[in-house]
């Protein structure tokens, strides 16, 4: 059954903007051994057995091909005070790691200092999905790094989580 959408892309974006998402930076060591990374707002757990996670890079991303070539990556869950770091990694063409403190995971991917948690993965599968890819990662290691509030994106802006009393 082929259904035609009755809305435009701005309506789609506006409506989905009412659903908050966490903000992550996916990092990898490129084939030239230089670190690379990209901001993702669409990240999710997929499976416990085997342990799988997913994120959804745009097909137009310049960073995604470098991460894909590495064959492994680390998902860094940003803390609520890391909005400047988010902006730095969201800037196209810049040296995203300039002045960024990090260490290398046992899997070889950068773990950014000060993140709430990190999830180190091997690339498991990539599927095309419209103007994006669905990237599945098999988790090989993970840890809560700095317990605290994550950075959230909601209705076009950044914020943090607050518990209801």
């Amino acid at each position: 059954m082929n259904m035609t959408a009755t809305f435009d892309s701005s309506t789609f974006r506006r409506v989905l903007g009412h659903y908050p998402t966490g903000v992550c930076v996916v990092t990898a060591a490129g084939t030239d051994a230089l670190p690379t990374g990209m901001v993702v707002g669409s990240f999710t757990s997929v499976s416990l057995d085997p342990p799988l996670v997913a994120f959804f890079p745009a097909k137009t991303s310049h960073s995604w091909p470098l991460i894909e070539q590495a064959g492994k990556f680390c998902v860094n869950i940003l803390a609520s005070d890391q909005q400047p770091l988010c902006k730095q990694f969201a800037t196209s063409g810049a040296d995203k790691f300039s002045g960024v403190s990090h260490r290398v995971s046992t899997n070889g991917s950068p773990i950014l200092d000060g993140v709430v948690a990190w999830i180190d993965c091997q690339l498991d599968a990539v599927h095309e999905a419209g103007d994006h890819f669905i990237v599945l990662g098999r988790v090989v290691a993970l840890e809560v790094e700095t317990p605290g509030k994550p950075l959230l994106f909601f209705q076009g802006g950044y914020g943090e989580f607050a518990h209801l009393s």
Side-chain angles (χ1 to χ4, degrees), residues 68 79 86 100 106 138:
E68 183 178 29
C86 174
V100 175
T106 56
R138 185 176 296 257

Side-chain angles (χ1 to χ4, degrees), residues 133-147:
F133 294 107
I134 299 170
V135 177
L136 292 173
R138 185 176 296 257
V139 179
V140 296
L142 69 167
E143 191 60 64
V144 174
E145 185 78 10
T146 310

Side-chain angles (χ1 to χ4, degrees), residues 1-69:
M1 177 178 208
N2 186 12
M3 296 190 64
T4 303
T6 59
F7 52 86
D8 61 16
S9 61
S10 64
T11 301
F12 184 83
R13 187 174 298 195
R14 180 180 52 79
V15 170
L16 284 237
H18 283 75
Y19 184 72
T21 61
V23 183
C24 305
V25 172
V26 176
T27 59
T31 53
D32 55 5
L34 294 175
T36 189
M38 64 185 291
V39 173
V40 299
S42 297
F43 168 76
T44 190
S45 62
V46 175
S47 169
L48 289 173
D49 186 18
L52 297 172
V53 296
F55 69 97
F56 310 94
K59 287 183 176 179
T60 57
S61 169
H62 296 288
S63 300
W64 164 240
L66 300 172
I67 294 168
E68 183 178 29
Q69 287 173 357

Side-chain angles (χ1 to χ4, degrees), residues 60-113:
T60 57
S61 169
H62 296 288
S63 300
W64 164 240
L66 300 172
I67 294 168
E68 183 178 29
Q69 287 173 357
K72 51 191 173 184
F73 56 87
C74 186
V75 178
N76 295 266
I77 300 172
L78 297 185
S80 61
D81 64 353
Q82 291 184 307
Q83 186 177 349
L85 185 63
C86 174
K87 184 176 180 180
Q88 182 168 338
F89 274 89
T91 303
S92 184
D95 178 3
K96 297 179 182 186
F97 278 84
S98 178
V100 175
S101 296
H102 66 281
R103 68 183 189 279
V104 176
S105 73
T106 56
N107 201 31
S109 299
I111 298 173
L112 306 179
D113 290 349

